[in-house]
Amino acid sequence: MDTTPRRTLRLAALMGSVALPLAFLAMPGYAQEKPKEHADGPAAAYEPSMTTLGKLKLEIPGRKPDDPVITPAEFDKAKQIYFERCAGCHGVLRKGATGKPLTTDITRERGYEALKDFITYGSPAGMPNWGTSGELSEAEVDLMARYILIEPPQPPEFGMEEMKKTWKVLIPVDQRPKKPENDLKRDNLFSVTLRDTGQIALIDGGTKKIVKVIDTGYAVHISRISASGRYLFVIGRDAKLDMIDLWMKEPSKVATVKIGSEARSVETSKMKGYEDKYAIAGSYWPPQYVIMDGDTLEPLKIKSTRGMIYDSQEFHPEPRVAAIVASHYRPEFIVNVKETGKVLLVDYSDIKNLNTTEIEAERFLHDGGFDSTKRYFLVAANARGKVAVIDTKEGKLTAVIETGGQTPHPGRGANLNHPKYGPVWVTSHLGDETVALIGTDPEGHPDQAWKVVQQLEALGGGSLFVKSHPKSDHLYVDAPLNPEAEISGSVAVFKVSELGGKEPKYKVLPIAEWAAIGEGQPRVVQGEYNQAGDEVWFSVWNSKDKTSAIVVVDDKTLKLKSVIKDPKLITPTGKFNVFNTRNDVY
Ligand code: DHE
């Protein structure tokens, strides 16, 4: 079906859902107005959940005489709820992140009743209405109000000693193949996250058959591939990093290490001369990154990200590591630190005398990718509605751009050759239906460089990923977190060659319908191309107990090419094609 662009989607409902939770602390008496449900927008469902921290055994911090009573069992439960639902915004130590601080000097000043009301009813500034939405029972709301009146427990640090205890080389380097021992078309393999089983499925891009399912970390998050294409690295939310050798007769894990308690990112060295030499992973807790040996995962260097926020120059105790990419221009990792708003260029050519360039960018950095030349790295400062551009050749900030939409969320973004504006990089938004096209060609198109040159309107808010390919004339925009099933089950496709016209139209592909699953309300997420760039794969992400699928679309005709279904394909989300991921093709 063809649809003209429309700005129909409940902007009002989406607005506010991404703003600062617990703004109530600055708004005395607001709870009495008992605002109605407001924080049910897609972005509200996307705040980080520190699930693994929730499972750690922690002591009740020294109870003071005026602390409200909480039993150890209640404390355990409240701690788990806090880490899973609240810490993403308010911080592990409750010192504030995208949400307000909840330190005891503040919470005790507000008092139990006010806290209980705000947890129950939320606030229009973005604090979810945990009580009235039914997410928390009355007893749980009472528990949480008491919990935030006591001192926050601090999860343990995770230094070299702890890391080394978890580090295992499962197959020593000298016992690994000297050359590939399988006839897989490795560059067209897809590593597919099976989120809720803590596994990845290796799927052959040609036959569309599962080659192998491999156990990895808890709520496994992303995969990255070494520069040579031999090693696959998979990070779980529990910060367990697994390294898989694709040369083995049957690809298998060859090394593993835990780099913290909560993590989201991993990358490998890509600079000429350093291929496969190092791996790096960043964690949410403790706030740090670690550089590891690229053959064995031996942890070599751990660096804390604690420090000053780029603009206020105030100390932040827990700045999380978000996206990490590897420079193609210098032997550097580009490490994005969420809460301090800094991009770190970590020079790995001499890790004994580690050199780091610290770039002031913007808060709160999340995800991003390269422009088509791989020289510029564009990263979303999502809570500020901006994208920061880093020149990885010169090692400096190029620009910080307002995207014009609410909460940009590009994934790695998409690179297009726009008929009017030349090379552009694209991001969609979590908070609304807009899609921003940013000029990335300062030489050929200086007037357009680092500006939003066009804004498209796609299906609706709740978009997480856009995708294109150098050989394709299409731009795909998903919307998995949109509250409407029809939207979250579809993707919008724009024709790149028609973007120069008036009001470009998009076509809707009913991906979930094509998967013909029947049960549940699956969300369609993250397009990923095959190596040839002639087909694009989408995950049809259903709940754990229901059938999920991967739908493969013919990129030329936009017709259904095949549906991959398998009982082992449980909760597929991210997909990482070996060739495209190792070469940063998107
Ligand atoms: Fe992700 C990338 C963090 C929830 C699927 N996600 C990233 C990156 C970060 C991040 C920092 C960039 C990594 C990099 O490039 O090095 N993600 C977070 C969160 O904090 C958040 C919001 C909540 C949480 O508690 O984890 C979160 N992410 C999700 C999901 O719910 C998704 C949709 C499904 C899933 O599998 O968990 C999801 N995130 C992804 C995917 C990528 C990703 C598929 C990589 C996209 C790409 O094309 O590179």
Side-chain angles (χ1 to χ4, degrees):
M1 114 186 80
D2 274 319
T3 322
T4 37
R6 57 204 165 119
R7 217 181 162 80
T8 50
L9 276 148
R10 304 148 309 283
L11 256 187
L14 298 172
M15 302 272 283
S17 59
V18 291
L20 305 182
L22 283 195
F24 69 83
L25 292 169
M27 301 166 73
Y30 187 79
Q32 277 64 43
E33 294 169 43
K34 301 202 184 333
K36 48 187 188 310
E37 294 202 347
H38 50 261
D40 56 353
Y46 200 63
E47 291 299 346
S49 159
M50 311 290 246
T51 1
T52 341
L53 287 187
K55 295 204 172 90
L56 294 182
K57 198 95 205 115
L58 299 175
E59 293 299 316
I60 305 180
R63 199 185 287 165
K64 300 213 177 75
D66 59 344
D67 280 342
V69 177
I70 195 162
T71 67
E74 285 179 325
F75 175 81
D76 267 358
K77 182 172 180 191
K79 170 197 61 121
Q80 182 160 358
I81 294 177
Y82 181 83
F83 284 138
E84 286 181 2
R85 314 248 178 132
C86 320
C89 290
H90 299 287
V92 169
L93 305 176
R94 298 201 216 130
K95 298 252 167 87
T98 47
K100 290 268 160 125
L102 292 175
T103 41
T104 51
D105 54 327
I106 301 170
T107 55
R108 289 178 190 175
E109 168 81 28
R110 302 304 303 158
Y112 169 81
E113 287 298 333
L115 297 173
K116 206 174 78 165
D117 269 355
F118 278 107
I119 298 170
T120 304
Y121 301 109
S123 85
M127 167 73 174
N129 50 326
W130 296 106
T132 52
S133 67
E135 289 271 343
L136 294 182
S137 67
E138 217 172 297
E140 285 169 335
V141 170
D142 156 68
L143 176 61
M144 294 317 291
R146 286 187 286 135
Y147 178 77
I148 56 173
L149 283 165
I150 62 172
E151 293 296 338
Q154 171 149 352
E157 297 298 319
F158 211 88
M160 192 51 93
E161 199 188 326
E162 289 79 11
M163 268 183 220
K164 282 267 170 93
K165 279 190 197 147
T166 69
W167 171 51
K168 285 193 199 91
V169 178
L170 305 168
I171 305 194
V173 179
D174 59 2
Q175 291 171 29
R176 293 181 203 162
K178 304 286 173 273
K179 56 179 182 9
E181 289 183 348
N182 58 56
D183 50 13
L184 292 166
K185 301 237 172 344
R186 283 175 302 281
D187 260 348
N188 201 24
L189 283 175
F190 287 70
S191 172
V192 179
T193 297
L194 303 180
R195 191 186 190 282
D196 292 2
T197 58
Q199 299 172 314
I200 56 115
L202 275 183
I203 304 187
D204 184 311
T207 63
K208 320 263 186 301
K209 292 266 181 308
I210 296 182
V211 173
K212 190 168 180 185
V213 171
I214 298 173
D215 289 338
T216 54
Y218 172 81
V220 50
H221 195 218
I222 66 161
S223 299
R224 293 281 185 254
I225 287 112
S226 71
S228 72
R230 172 176 185 170
Y231 291 117
L232 174 68
F233 297 82
V234 183
I235 188 103
R237 280 180 168 78
D238 56 356
K240 184 170 179 287
L241 176 60
D242 289 301
M243 180 178 173
I244 295 159
D245 185 355
L246 298 180
W247 279 12
M248 288 170 68
K249 200 164 174 23
E250 191 182 279
S252 303
K253 286 188 283 195
V254 290
T256 184
V257 67
K258 211 161 135 43
I259 57 108
S261 311
E262 277 280 347
R264 300 292 182 277
S265 48
V266 57
E267 181 57 297
T268 72
S269 52
K270 297 219 173 117
M271 181 64 190
K272 218 166 167 316
Y274 293 89
E275 293 94 339
D276 296 20
K277 192 164 170 53
Y278 294 117
I280 182 172
S283 49
Y284 274 11
W285 188 271
Q288 63 192 24
Y289 60 87
V290 53
I291 300 175
M292 290 155 284
D293 180 84
D295 282 326
T296 62
L297 291 185
E298 179 182 5
L300 302 173
K301 184 91 170 187
I302 307 170
K303 288 289 291 174
S304 172
T305 51
R306 290 185 172 107
M308 298 307 191
I309 297 169
Y310 87 95
D311 52 353
S312 66
Q313 311 260 328
E314 297 291 335
F315 180 75
H316 200 288
E318 47 173 302
R320 290 170 281 194
V321 175
I324 304 180
V325 293
S327 171
H328 297 269
Y329 282 82
R330 297 172 173 206
E332 284 178 347
F333 290 121
I334 300 152
V335 176
N336 296 274
V337 188
K338 227 179 230 297
E339 282 78 11
T340 54
K342 291 175 181 170
V343 178
L344 309 177
L345 306 182
V346 181
D347 181 342
Y348 53 71
S349 63
D350 179 3
I351 58 171
K352 264 259 172 284
N353 304 287
L354 195 76
N355 230 328
T356 303
T357 306
E358 187 184 286
I359 298 177
E360 294 182 359
E362 182 54 287
R363 287 190 264 173
F364 295 78
L365 301 174
H366 189 72
D367 54 351
F370 288 105
D371 77 308
S372 58
T373 67
K374 299 177 199 169
R375 170 173 171 173
Y376 298 98
F377 173 68
L378 296 96
V379 56
N382 55 13
R384 296 275 162 98
K386 292 182 185 160
V387 162
V389 186
I390 308 297
D391 181 345
T392 66
K393 189 175 170 199
E394 297 294 328
K396 57 182 193 198
L397 182 75
T398 299
V400 178
I401 308 151
E402 296 233 12
T403 62
Q406 232 198 2
T407 320
H409 192 285
R412 284 167 285 177
N415 287 296
L416 317 175
N417 200 359
H418 193 282
K420 259 196 195 159
Y421 308 118
V424 299
W425 179 90
V426 183
T427 181
S428 58
H429 293 83
L430 253 168
D432 61 34
E433 71 275 38
T434 62
V435 178
L437 276 57
I438 296 170
T440 58
D441 182 22
E443 310 250 301
H445 298 78
D447 294 345
Q448 279 80 34
W450 320 127
K451 289 180 190 141
V452 175
V453 294
Q454 188 170 16
Q455 205 175 36
L456 305 169
E457 285 162 14
L459 289 169
S463 176
L464 292 179
F465 302 105
V466 287
K467 191 64 77 175
S468 191
H469 186 278
K471 291 189 187 145
S472 171
D473 189 32
H474 290 128
L475 166 70
Y476 297 82
V477 186
D478 70 7
L481 297 186
N482 194 285
E484 277 183 33
E486 205 184 322
I487 292 177
S488 65
S490 304
V491 295
V493 195
F494 292 90
K495 229 176 165 37
V496 178
S497 50
E498 291 175 0
L499 289 178
K502 247 193 186 172
E503 295 211 336
K505 287 181 180 171
Y506 61 81
K507 197 173 165 138
V508 180
L509 306 186
I511 303 285
E513 202 183 301
W514 285 349
I517 279 172
E519 244 199 316
Q521 195 184 314
R523 298 170 186 281
V524 170
V525 67
Q526 203 238 13
E528 176 79 350
Y529 275 86
N530 63 346
Q531 182 187 2
D534 58 8
E535 56 187 43
V536 58
W537 295 28
F538 290 96
S539 299
V540 182
W541 171 21
N542 216 341
S543 55
K544 194 178 173 180
D545 55 340
K546 300 201 167 61
T547 307
S548 288
I550 291 175
V551 164
V552 181
V553 176
D554 184 311
D555 182 61
K556 276 255 151 5
T557 61
L558 298 183
K559 295 251 172 351
L560 172 65
K561 193 159 177 185
S562 56
V563 178
I564 307 174
K565 274 191 198 156
D566 189 299
K568 295 194 281 291
L569 206 58
I570 299 166
T571 59
T573 55
K575 299 162 296 308
F576 305 89
N577 173 271
V578 168
F579 182 85
N580 295 333
T581 307
R582 75 186 176 99
N583 292 303
D584 286 306
V585 177
Y586 34 82

